[in-house]
């Protein structure tokens, strides 16, 4: 009795914790049919590559956050400039003067990403530190500024070059843009010291300054959406920049937002869609009309979610490039992808380019392994939709548009051969159904036993599976 009581309390606490991080507000279906269509197309893609790249990559530190005067684990300042805040911020901003990623070759990235099976790309055009990785007209704090050695390089406009290279390979393009800008003097007004991640003055008290900030934000987003070719996703980070009325008191971190920081998303979204019809707008964490999909970060939901969503996750441990960072094994990445897709989500996997402008060699080798798996199993991933029971122990399910169902068996760490039989409970094949292991030639024998499908795997196939890490059984017809 006692233990039941405690597990009940534990359950309540866990639910509370999930609630405290993410809002439960209902998803709002966009009323523009072109946006709806674009979201559905994007849901078919499943797998995107994310890139956090900026001057911070030179120090191998966290992106932007070390200049945020909050005492959090991820904001710690280290090294010779860390004795006082202002010295540090200056040294951090001086990184601009040495940024020269001479090995930058976006065609090489795009080819490797395509081979890995990624279908869309999101690059940090501007992170919270305000440094623009594109040629903004509205600031000098940018990769194309004479202050930055790379500005003379023919590929200096990194945003443009990267978007073009990936577009050429058939990718959908997303631009990460931080709503807060810790370099801009109408966000962190130099008259006051910065206090935390928020605007450092009360916008209600200084409406003209806030208006300047709104205009600046609008203008920068407009140049990205009008001068950089086709953009499919505007991925807006920094959810504390939001109207006060959207603050959800049930979400712990939102309680600390001190001011109304309304940048007029309605105006931004309308402008964006004038330039880019059907643009998906992701106003992260600001549940409402402008969060066209949700973005659980570094986590996979326990259960399928009833709205469009995408888990963003690092391939290593950090969003930014850190020398010697530990990359997740390919098998783990593949299992996460399958789990996410079975729950109806997309997987946005981050690789941080180095200060010289290339991915870590480990990232390339992971991408190769993922690509080899995708070649065999891609049809069980792309274009699929979730299907009940979603997941049964180590088997995940997806459904193709022709209604066939894929049962994807996640192999254990030591499991390199297929088991002699695979049993599945939650799916009922019709009598005429065929079951095929993707990557193998012949269809497999199967029968129903005690209401379960029993798939029989010939010995030769057990020993020579068509791929590593996870195996997809395609069931042609289900009831
Ligand atoms: C976290 C990090 C932020 C990063 C984002 C990507 O919120 O703090 O720097 O850009 O994740 O989703």
């Amino acid at each position: 009795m006692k233990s039941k009581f405690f597990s009940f309390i534990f359950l309540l606490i866990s639910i509370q914790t999930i609630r405290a991080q993410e809002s439960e507000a209902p998803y709002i279906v966009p009323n523009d049919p072109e946006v709806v269509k674009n979201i559905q197309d994007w849901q078919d893609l499943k797998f995107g590559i994310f890139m956090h790249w900026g001057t911070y990559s030179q120090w191998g530190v966290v992106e932007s956050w070390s200049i945020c005067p909050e005492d959090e684990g991820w904001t710690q300042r280290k090294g010779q400039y860390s004795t006082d805040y202002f010295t540090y911020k200056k040294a951090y901003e001086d990184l601009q003067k040495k940024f020269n990623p001479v090995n930058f070759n976006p065609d090489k990235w795009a080819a490797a990403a395509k081979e890995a099976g990624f279908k869309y790309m999101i690059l940090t055009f501007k992170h919270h530190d305000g440094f623009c990785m594109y040629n903004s007209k509205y600031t000098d704090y940018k990769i194309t500024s004479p202050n930055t050695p790379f500005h003379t390089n023919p590929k200096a406009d990194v945003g443009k070059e990267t978007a073009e290279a990936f577009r050429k390979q058939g990718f959908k393009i997303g631009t990460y843009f931080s709503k807060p800008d810790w370099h801009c003097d109408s966000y962190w007004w130099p008259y006051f010291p910065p206090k935390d991640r928020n605007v450092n003055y009360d916008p209600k008290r200084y409406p003209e300054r806030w208006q300047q900030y709104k205009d600046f934000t609008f203008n920068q987003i407009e140049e990205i959406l009008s001068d950089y070719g086709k953009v499919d996703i505007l991925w807006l980070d920094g959810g504390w920049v939001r109207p006060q009325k959207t603050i959800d008191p049930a979400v712990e971190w939102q309680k600390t937002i001190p001011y109304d920081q309304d940048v007029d998303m309605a105006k931004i979204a309308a402008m964006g869609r004038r330039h880019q019809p059907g643009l998906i707008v992701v106003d992260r964490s600001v549940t409402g009309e402008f969060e066209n999909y949700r973005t659980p970060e570094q986590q996979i939901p326990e259960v399928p979610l009833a709205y469009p969503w995408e888990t963003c996750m690092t391939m290593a441990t950090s969003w930014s490039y850190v020398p010697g960072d530990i990359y997740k094994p390919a098998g783990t990445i593949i299992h996460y992808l399958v789990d996410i897709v079975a729950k109806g989500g997309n997987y946005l996997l981050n690789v941080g380019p180095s200060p010289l402008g290339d991915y870590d060699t480990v990232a390339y080798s992971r991408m190769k392994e993922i690509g080899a798996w995708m070649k065999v199993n891609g049809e069980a991933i792309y274009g699929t939709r979730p299907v009940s029971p979603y997941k049964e122990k180590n088997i995940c399910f997806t459904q193709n548009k022709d209604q066939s169902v894929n049962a994807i068996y996640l192999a254990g760490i030591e499991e390199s051969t297929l088991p002699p039989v695979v049993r599945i409970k939650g799916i009922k094949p019709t009598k005429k159904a065929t079951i095929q292991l993707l990557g193998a030639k012949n269809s497999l024998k199967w029968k129903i036993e005690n209401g379960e499908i029993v798939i029989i795997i010939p010995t030769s196939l057990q020993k020579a599976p068509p791929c590593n890490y996870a195996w997809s059984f395609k069931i042609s017809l289900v009831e």
Side-chain angles (χ1 to χ4, degrees):
M1 182 62 206
K2 220 175 185 179
S3 79
K4 261 198 189 147
F5 174 75
F6 281 119
S7 28
F8 177 66
I9 295 290
F10 179 72
L11 181 73
L12 278 187
I13 295 173
S14 332
I15 293 173
Q16 282 308 118
T17 329
I18 296 168
R19 287 244 168 90
Q21 287 159 13
E22 302 247 354
S23 175
E24 298 282 295
Y27 172 76
I28 297 181
V29 180
N31 45 29
D32 177 342
E34 269 189 276
V35 177
V36 173
K37 167 82 172 53
N38 209 8
I39 295 171
Q40 283 163 0
D41 292 348
W42 165 84
Q43 284 184 302
D44 283 347
L45 305 182
K46 306 300 181 196
F47 198 31
I49 184 165
F50 202 7
M51 284 179 264
H52 276 67
W53 198 27
T55 61
Y56 47 78
S57 310
Q58 294 173 91
W59 278 353
V61 297
V62 62
E63 63 291 345
S64 302
W65 283 99
S66 67
I67 57 167
C68 176
E70 288 178 30
D71 198 8
E72 299 289 353
W74 64 90
T75 56
Q76 300 304 310
R77 288 175 287 284
K78 296 195 184 101
Q80 56 173 316
Y81 306 108
S82 60
T83 43
D84 86 273
Y85 176 81
F86 293 98
T87 307
Y88 185 92
K89 183 158 192 251
K90 172 148 195 331
Y92 180 99
E93 295 197 332
D94 278 350
L95 281 168
Q96 172 186 22
K97 299 184 186 155
K98 297 217 179 79
F99 197 31
N100 199 13
V102 290
N103 296 341
F104 172 58
N105 179 358
D107 288 323
K108 180 181 173 196
W109 291 352
K114 185 181 184 186
E115 172 89 16
F118 290 110
K119 300 284 186 194
Y120 64 104
M121 181 284 285
I122 299 183
L123 171 74
T124 50
F125 270 60
K126 181 179 88 167
H127 205 264
H128 313 329
D129 63 12
F131 187 78
C132 292
M133 292 295 279
Y134 72 99
N135 186 21
S136 176
K137 289 191 278 292
Y138 302 98
T139 180
D140 243 1
Y141 194 47
K142 60 177 176 183
I143 184 95
T144 49
S145 148
N147 300 331
T148 304
F150 197 59
H151 84 278
T152 54
N153 191 293
K155 294 198 174 88
D157 190 340
V158 161
K160 179 161 266 166
E161 299 290 330
T162 309
E164 268 170 18
F166 279 79
R167 217 179 272 123
K168 258 196 314 209
Q169 296 285 10
F171 281 60
K172 268 195 196 283
I173 303 300
T175 54
Y176 171 113
F177 184 88
S178 168
K179 290 181 295 175
D181 184 320
W182 297 336
H183 181 81
C184 181
D185 61 13
S186 51
Y187 194 73
W188 278 2
W189 180 12
Y191 177 76
F192 294 118
K195 301 182 187 80
D196 51 33
R197 70 188 69 184
N198 294 286
V199 59
N200 73 342
Y201 60 91
D202 182 352
K204 279 211 182 70
R205 213 168 146 154
Y206 301 99
E208 277 149 35
R209 193 161 280 265
W210 184 251
Q211 188 58 47
Q212 277 171 21
Y213 190 65
K214 279 167 80 168
D215 294 343
F216 171 73
T217 304
F218 180 94
N219 289 339
Q220 283 201 323
I221 296 177
E222 179 158 45
E223 59 188 356
I224 292 173
L225 295 179
S226 47
D227 300 343
Y228 286 80
K230 175 94 187 101
V231 175
D232 303 282
I233 305 164
L234 175 64
W235 211 90
L236 297 171
D237 202 13
W240 55 93
V241 174
R242 67 199 290 152
Q244 203 141 30
K245 62 174 191 288
T246 67
I247 293 175
D248 182 344
V251 181
E252 204 52 44
W253 69 266
Q254 293 183 19
K255 287 188 198 155
T256 63
I257 303 174
Y259 306 120
D260 186 84
Q261 300 179 55
D262 189 350
V263 288
D264 199 346
M265 275 309 304
K267 189 174 165 206
I268 290 173
M271 170 274 287
R273 289 174 180 149
R274 258 196 321 276
H275 295 295
Q276 305 284 347
L279 179 73
I280 300 174
V281 178
V282 184
D283 193 14
R284 289 191 81 198
S285 85
V286 190
T287 48
E289 213 186 323
F290 307 109
E291 190 175 28
N292 296 157
Y293 66 71
R294 294 205 184 154
T295 57
E297 187 175 294
Q298 300 283 37
Q299 53 170 317
I300 302 175
E302 282 300 317
V303 292
L305 303 176
Y307 43 76
W309 61 278
E310 164 196 83
T311 280
C312 54
M313 195 186 274
T314 52
M315 192 191 275
T317 66
S318 174
W319 297 103
S320 51
Y321 174 83
V322 173
D325 206 352
I326 308 292
Y327 284 75
K328 294 176 179 71
T332 304
I333 295 170
I334 289 164
H335 286 194
Y336 287 168
L337 171 70
V338 172
D339 192 18
I340 289 168
V341 171
K343 290 171 181 160
N346 276 21
Y347 191 23
L348 180 64
L349 187 62
N350 181 82
V351 178
S354 74
L356 284 180
D358 206 354
Y359 302 153
D360 197 290
T361 50
V362 184
Y364 281 112
S365 84
R366 296 293 187 272
M367 283 158 73
K368 259 215 151 78
E369 274 197 85
I370 299 164
W373 186 87
M374 282 291 208
K375 271 194 194 85
V376 175
N377 300 280
E379 64 173 281
I381 299 291
Y382 304 120
T384 63
R385 289 295 177 266
V387 61
S388 168
Y390 314 107
K391 192 170 181 179
E392 215 176 79
K393 290 189 197 137
N394 65 329
I395 300 179
C396 292
F397 302 98
T398 63
Q399 185 157 38
N400 294 101
K401 299 215 165 105
D402 68 3
Q403 302 301 303
S404 55
V405 167
N406 307 289
I408 311 176
Y409 179 105
L410 308 179
I413 293 176
E414 304 277 311
E415 204 175 356
S416 55
T417 56
L418 281 153
V421 293
V422 170
R423 289 169 191 276
I424 299 167
K425 253 200 212 113
I427 299 284
K428 302 270 166 282
T430 63
K431 286 212 174 80
K432 285 195 186 141
T434 56
I435 300 185
Q436 195 150 18
L437 176 67
L438 295 187
K441 279 206 191 83
N442 304 322
S443 13
L444 300 169
K445 293 215 171 89
W446 63 274
K447 58 186 176 190
I448 300 287
E449 220 174 70
N450 305 324
E452 292 183 346
I453 319 176
V454 180
I455 308 173
I456 296 132
I457 314 206
T459 331
S460 55
L461 197 54
Q462 287 172 41
K463 286 192 209 130
C467 59
N468 298 321
Y469 309 124
W471 303 300
S472 309
F473 297 92
K474 182 170 178 176
I475 306 167
S476 66
L477 292 164
V478 292
E479 274 171 14

